[in-house]
Amino acid sequence: MNQRTDDIINRAVIINRLDSITGEMGIALEHSAHSPIFAEACDFACCICDQDGELVSQISGIPILATAGAFSVKALLRKYGSRIDDGDVFIINDPYDGGNHLPDIGIITPIFYDGELLFFSVSRAHHGDIGGSTAGSYNPKATEIFQEGIRIPPTKLMKNNEMIQDVLDLITLNTRNPEMLTSDFLAQIGSNRVAAKRIKEMLATYSVETVRKAVQDTLKQTEALTRKRIAEIPDGTYAAVDYIDDDGFQEEPVKIAVSVTVTGDHLLVDFAGTDPQVKGFINTSVVTATCASGIAVLWFLGKDIPRNGGAFGCIDVNLPKGSLVNPYEPAPMTLCTLTPASEIIGTIFQALDQAISGRVAAGYHRYLGPSYYGVDPRTNRYYVGFSFCSLGSGGAMQGHDGNPYMATLSNFGGVKAPNIESNEVQYPHITLYHEMDTDTAGAGEYRGGCGMKYAFELYAEQSDVVNFGDGIKFAPYGLRGGQQGSLNRGVFVHDGQEIVMASKENPRHAVKGDRVCLNTSGGGGWGDPLKRPIEKVYEDVRDEIITKQTAETVYGVAITAAGIDFEKTEKLRGTK
């Protein structure tokens, strides 16, 4: 074989090996973590960056976290420069300096080989509590980031492979469950060590120069492919607007304005016209807004483009200072990885769909669900729980119905719903029901996924419930004639009295027997509902996804006890 053939083979093998390493990192983290958020919901991500902080591989976890890994490494490099040694481990979460929001804590391990810094392994994970004025650290009434939890700039956590106990104590002392936090830090550190071990094994097989060349060539090749795909989009500016319900203080909706300008092989996502920063915790870090923009554009460009620094570097993003997507300190922003990250992606989808139709999905559900906390009567220990079971559904796209029961757009289904039984073991509550909700899927030639009905009852003598999220006022959008999905709704039943919850509210005091009842939204539809195949409409009725009435009035399909009434259906659809 000639040298060029060797290089191609080496590049394919090395990059696929790095991808498998990030996958192994995720498995190690999932199986070694103490927190149900890691072990059950898998609310984490793993990635590998090169010595300059460029993202090389991110295959395990949720995109809004994994993509942010490069920002964290670059923040670390800015602060420490050459003062990074073999055996160091670093920690970071500050959204104003390389993080996306406070609960997502990054653990960064530099990887040396023969005395040379070559890579960083990064695990980023959502922790159940990182301090602040509300347990669980989602405080819908926070007006400053200081009320949301402890801020950690790039900081050395380990030296010579030994924990710096003073740093660990300083962080964990500011949280409500220091033992669990410490345990989960160790799981992240262990996950990074798996990557370091595997990468060193790879470097022992290949030379450092071979691996370095494979990485550099992959980044260049990815950039070339990304720019080629951008150049295939018709030149022009494509604009869209979407809205967030409110910020928890003002009643008025908050606007996200996006224009995507394509000029040759250059693409700019511009947020000029987006509302100024707000009082509440929906402000968005630069890292989150930039990552969300990249995720949306790369979905549109194609799944075969590797999600590495070569691709993300092709996407320019303008985030006006002082706006919702680039606030001045010390604006709060804990909700930003859900809302407005998901709405940013959806707004860019709506803009790009004007350029080339059929590549992106209709609107996904917006997260809405409470955290709940108190003392578990079974153990007499403090707990913080999240209703990860209150997921909604995805939007349809050309050729595909929306996926039911999945995480928001910013997570692309990466967050998993915990098993109901194990969730009841972990937290003092009982699930009352958990099922799909009829007539909630956005209608279309391809329909959205169904919304869900979920309710649970608390049995601790005293606890607190904090509802947070969005989607009570604005439903998931439809595309190309598809209809909107349904709205979210939450009800708190206290002493038998039903109270409709706002999407962002102060903690509610709960007593034994109180209930939380949630209706999560179905995804938006794609295309004219009257073009949906008659047999599929019939199947949806049989599966109780839609009612006979909806089949007739929305889809133009008449169904009786005997089956499809084809003659009436032809009249309803105007085909006779």
Side-chain angles (χ1 to χ4, degrees), residues 134 138-142 247-249 280-281 466-468 504-506:
T134 300
Y138 280 95
N139 180 0
K141 297 304 176 182
D247 73 336
F249 291 93
F281 73 156
V466 182
N467 204 41
F468 60 91
K504 307 166 187 71
E505 59 179 37
N506 279 319

Side-chain angles (χ1 to χ4, degrees), residues 541-564:
V541 171
R542 292 186 64 185
D543 292 337
E544 299 182 8
I545 292 171
I546 61 174
T547 59
K548 290 180 181 178
Q549 181 180 0
T550 297
E552 184 167 325
T553 59
V554 177
Y555 289 96
V557 178
I559 298 174
T560 68
I564 301 169

